[in-house]
Amino acid sequence: FPNPAADQVNIRLSKAVTFATPVTILDNTGRTIYSGSISEGSSQLQIDLNQNRISSGIYLVSVNMKDRIQTKSLVIFRE
């Protein structure tokens, strides 16, 4: 959240992970524009969109847990 986002995105899971959990943001062509991870023992990750130079558009955020991959859409709106 927030969605749509402008400056930063916070990814939160319902509980802390017991292993480093990869997080990827993909553009509409499937190209990886961000790759990071939620640290072991944490339940969230904050992504600075300005630092990562992510422009306006619709993206897919993928969280790769051991037993499944959860994917959600993310709208980034910059004026």
Side-chain angles (χ1 to χ4, degrees), residues 9-50:
V9 174
N10 297 296
I11 298 173
R12 287 192 183 166
L13 303 177
S14 59
K15 60 181 180 177
V17 294
T18 57
F19 56 93
T21 302
V23 175
T24 308
I25 299 178
L26 306 169
D27 68 10
N28 62 354
T29 66
R31 183 175 57 115
T32 299
I33 60 162
Y34 174 84
S35 182
S37 65
I38 299 173
S39 301
E40 180 179 344
S42 181
S43 63
Q44 63 183 5
L45 173 66
Q46 187 175 65
I47 301 169
D48 183 340
L49 300 175
N50 294 320

Side-chain angles (χ1 to χ4, degrees), residues 60-71:
L60 293 176
V61 178
S62 180
V63 180
N64 188 354
M65 294 173 263
K66 284 185 178 177
D67 58 344
R68 70 182 188 278
I69 297 173
Q70 185 168 352
T71 303

